[in-house]
Amino acid sequence: MNISRNRWIVFDVEGVLIDGEYLVELANLVGLGRVIDEITRRGLLGEINWDEGLIMRLKMLNGKINRRMAEEIAWKLPLMKGAKETCAKLKELGFNIVAVTGGFQFLANRVKEELGLDVVISNKLFFDSQERISGILFEVSSDKAAALIRYIGKRIVDAAVVDGANDLTLFNIAKTRIAFNAAPIVELKADISIREKDLSKIFKYLKF
């Protein structure tokens, strides 16, 4: 990785760069949307262990979702309002833009391509011989800061923009901690809370 700029901003993906939850949309295809949504919600609120909740959700979907479905849903979810404009302006201002997600490679690759991100770190789904979900490679646990440090080294990032309890370790390495339409536990630990689905609102709070 040869990145010379020294300013860094890190985003969560689902609920921040993307307006929606990937696994919930996948689960809707097979009639499991409600139960997957409830587990997702509890994980974001910090009511259950995020990593255990992710494994629980995937077990429900194993053998039911194929690669084609996983790829198509990644492109159907809408970008968050202001995401394209925000990322373009951040690049003009000299920021490295990183996304760290407990989600999966299809959505991660989509936002990297569409938003021009410098680094995207995600988990990876495996598929069996019939192209159905069969397992996961964990690159990102609820300790997202550890995943980020493995890629960019130990550094303090200029800002972290997140929404869920599973993102909170990113606040430990951020100068400015922004809760974006976030769970109450995240707002409590944030410097700034934005309660409008418009990512461009972060510019009011970034220091240049």
Side-chain angles (χ1 to χ4, degrees):
M1 187 187 302
N2 182 22
I3 300 174
S4 58
R5 301 186 302 277
N6 60 12
R7 302 198 70 187
W8 294 79
I9 184 166
V10 58
F11 292 94
D12 184 20
V13 173
E14 294 161 80
V16 179
L17 295 176
I18 291 287
D19 189 2
E21 289 289 336
Y22 179 72
L23 278 185
V24 174
E25 293 304 317
L26 271 183
N28 281 335
L29 298 177
V30 292
L32 292 171
R34 184 174 296 179
V35 64
I36 296 293
D37 183 53
E38 177 62 14
I39 298 169
T40 302
R41 185 190 67 80
R42 294 185 66 200
L44 290 170
L45 291 172
E47 294 177 356
I48 61 172
N49 178 276
W50 175 264
D51 303 332
E52 291 175 4
L54 179 57
I55 292 169
M56 189 187 313
R57 287 178 289 160
L58 281 175
K59 282 182 177 178
M60 293 179 185
L61 297 177
N62 274 5
K64 298 180 177 70
I65 299 293
N66 62 39
R67 181 185 290 270
R68 178 188 58 78
M69 295 158 73
E71 291 176 343
E72 286 182 354
I73 286 295
W75 284 94
K76 285 181 177 178
L77 283 165
L79 291 173
M80 184 63 67
K81 180 183 177 182
K84 279 190 176 181
E85 298 81 0
T86 296
C87 290
K89 185 173 180 180
L90 287 168
K91 295 299 283 289
E92 288 176 6
L93 291 168
F95 282 88
N96 296 295
I97 308 174
V98 187
V100 185
T101 175
F104 305 101
Q105 70 267 36
F106 303 113
L107 193 58
N109 293 340
R110 181 252 176 120
V111 295
K112 184 175 185 182
E113 175 185 335
E114 197 166 0
L115 299 177
L117 308 185
D118 296 288
V119 180
V120 178
I121 311 165
S122 71
N123 293 316
K124 294 175 177 62
L125 290 173
F126 289 122
F127 298 86
D128 63 20
S129 59
Q130 265 108 45
E131 294 286 280
R132 295 173 301 193
I133 290 177
S134 61
I136 179 175
L137 172 64
F138 263 108
E139 293 275 353
V140 181
S141 69
S142 55
D143 188 351
K144 287 189 173 181
L148 182 59
I149 288 167
R150 286 198 300 272
Y151 276 77
I152 70 171
K154 289 186 177 180
R155 66 178 76 232
I156 299 296
V157 300
D158 289 87
V161 186
V162 306
D163 71 334
N166 58 313
D167 306 313
L168 283 172
T169 61
L170 292 173
F171 277 179
N172 297 336
I173 59 170
K175 293 178 185 175
T176 302
R177 301 169 294 182
I178 301 176
F180 185 79
N181 295 288
I185 190 172
V186 179
E187 290 195 336
L188 282 172
K189 297 179 181 296
D191 302 309
I192 297 116
S193 291
I194 296 172
R195 295 179 178 176
E196 182 179 345
K197 284 192 172 185
D198 182 349
L199 207 55
S200 68
K201 299 299 181 182
I202 69 172
F203 287 107
K204 290 172 60 179
Y205 307 105
L206 294 180
K207 299 173 183 176
F208 303 111

